[in-house]
Amino acid sequence: MEKRTLALIGALILIAAAIIVLTPLSPNRSFTGTAVAPGNRTAINAEKAKLYPYAKEIAEPSGFVNVDNITIASLVGKDVILVDFWTYSCINCERTIPYLNLWYSEYHDQGLEIIGVHTPEFQFEHDINNVRMAVRKFGIQYPVVLDNNYATWDSYGNQYWPEDYLVDIDGFIVYHHIGEGDYNETEAEIQDLLRERAAALGLNITISNTTSVPSDAVAVNFSAVGSPETYFGAARNQYLANGNSSVTGLQTLVIPAQVQLNGLYLSGTWDFADQYAENTGNASIVFPYEAKNVYFVASADNATAVQVLLDGKPVTDLAGPDVTNGTVTIQADRLYSLVQGSGYGTHTLELDIPEPGLNAYTFTFG
């Protein structure tokens, strides 16, 4: 995104010749919803308003996961705010959480507030208890708000998981980032905004100018990932290679002798709903992929031990943390890590499912 420099008149904000480098939102992005009123720094707000939109309030929250209540308005004029749109079964979101946790730990006492806006992709992500379990699993301490009706998502004109908005002390959205990556840049922007906050509030504090990588961060070379997110449900299962895509209801399928890269192949009888496909008896899934790591969003009526094979053999040394002795036990509605490769390459994944009632949502890769 284009960088713009906003020169702030020193006499007006009590900082001589202060210059803050900020990345604004794309001018083509439209915004709706109620804007939070800016602070009382009238002159500087007038200059900012020429470049940046005001932050939007949390709209029609469906619940508060780990806090009694929180609003954007209560923070404007006091804190820098990072609004993070996420959903708990999204691997892209999961890989950003170590950075969010680190920033909250490092900068919360210096004036940073993070608000996680949990906007669900799948129906099971509407359940506040599921979200609470995920928040505990990921060690999230910053406030998380449920956005089950997409009210806040729509207010911000949001389009992706994850997607982040940095709000300065005056309530302006001055930086925006889509997806993973650029963590050093985002942390540097946080630091700049915290310095502006300290100056505006007359605080004598020192903000770090170095950036860090969390110890539990997972690096991904996206140029080496050759497989797309692949959905099972009829609403988005265009990669279904041996059945009728975009069709709900029962299909009995047979895996052919030859399979193609990035083709989703199923055997057995499957009942396709919009968001997932459910096996009605003994079944299997085959997917040739190009990546290092493989993740599976799924659930099951009862705990179901699914055998995981890689290139025709039970996965062992390349098994993901959810796989033990070549088997993953699926029940809870969540993302399961199946393969944790040592390098990027082309492989064939096979899942053998011995019992009915497994709901398969999506494969994702890294």
Side-chain angles (χ1 to χ4, degrees), residues 55-230:
K56 305 301 186 291
E57 188 54 270
I58 296 167
E60 303 172 22
S62 308
F64 297 91
V65 176
N66 56 353
V67 66
D68 290 336
N69 192 12
I70 193 166
T71 64
I72 300 292
S74 68
L75 301 172
V76 170
K78 296 188 295 184
D79 292 322
V80 172
I81 310 161
L82 192 161
V83 180
D84 172 64
F85 286 89
W86 72 297
T87 190
Y88 81 81
S89 75
C90 167
I91 186 56
N92 308 92
C93 299
E94 184 174 327
R95 287 193 292 248
T96 66
I97 290 173
Y99 289 90
L100 295 167
N101 284 341
L102 176 64
W103 297 338
Y104 193 71
S105 173
E106 291 289 325
Y107 302 114
H108 180 61
D109 290 344
Q110 297 178 337
L112 174 68
E113 186 61 88
I114 298 176
I115 301 177
V117 180
H118 186 275
T119 311
E121 180 175 13
F122 299 117
Q123 186 61 39
F124 62 79
E125 292 172 311
H126 288 70
D127 188 333
I128 193 169
N129 292 319
N130 285 348
V131 182
R132 282 181 174 144
M133 284 190 289
V135 165
R136 289 193 295 269
K137 173 186 175 183
F138 298 137
I140 294 172
Q141 299 298 314
Y142 52 84
V144 175
V145 179
L146 287 188
D147 185 37
N148 286 350
N149 298 320
Y150 281 59
T152 304
W153 174 287
D154 290 340
S155 180
Y156 275 77
N158 202 71
Q159 298 182 49
Y160 303 99
W161 295 279
E163 194 162 353
D164 291 336
Y165 302 81
L166 265 175
V167 180
D168 71 5
I169 189 173
D170 297 308
F172 291 89
I173 302 172
V174 295
Y175 177 82
H176 170 226
H177 188 270
I178 295 172
E180 304 178 57
D182 298 324
Y183 298 112
N184 288 340
E185 176 184 292
T186 302
E187 185 174 1
E189 297 288 353
I190 290 170
Q191 293 167 349
D192 284 346
L193 294 180
L194 290 175
R195 292 188 192 100
E196 181 194 18
R197 170 189 179 269
L201 298 179
L203 302 176
N204 185 21
I205 59 175
T206 300
I207 307 298
S208 172
N209 60 4
T210 61
T211 61
S212 303
V213 177
S215 59
D216 53 344
V218 177
V220 179
N221 180 2
F222 290 102
S223 66
V225 178
S227 293
E229 184 167 11
T230 301

Side-chain angles (χ1 to χ4, degrees), residues 227 261-262 287-291 294 310 339 345-349 365:
S227 293
L261 180 67
N262 297 330
F287 192 87
Y289 70 90
E290 183 179 11
V294 182
L310 194 63
V339 178
T346 301
H347 303 278
T348 298
L349 176 73
F365 304 91

Side-chain angles (χ1 to χ4, degrees), residues 283-320:
S284 63
I285 302 167
V286 171
F287 192 87
Y289 70 90
E290 183 179 11
K292 182 170 69 172
N293 301 331
V294 182
Y295 308 92
F296 184 38
V297 178
S299 63
D301 296 339
N302 302 298
T304 301
V306 175
Q307 187 177 28
V308 182
L309 295 95
L310 194 63
D311 300 326
K313 299 178 181 179
V315 64
T316 54
D317 55 319
L318 300 183

Side-chain angles (χ1 to χ4, degrees), residues 323-338:
V323 178
T324 302
N325 296 325
T327 298
V328 58
T329 300
I330 292 176
Q331 185 170 20
D333 302 286
R334 65 178 180 90
L335 180 145
Y336 295 83
S337 177
L338 302 183

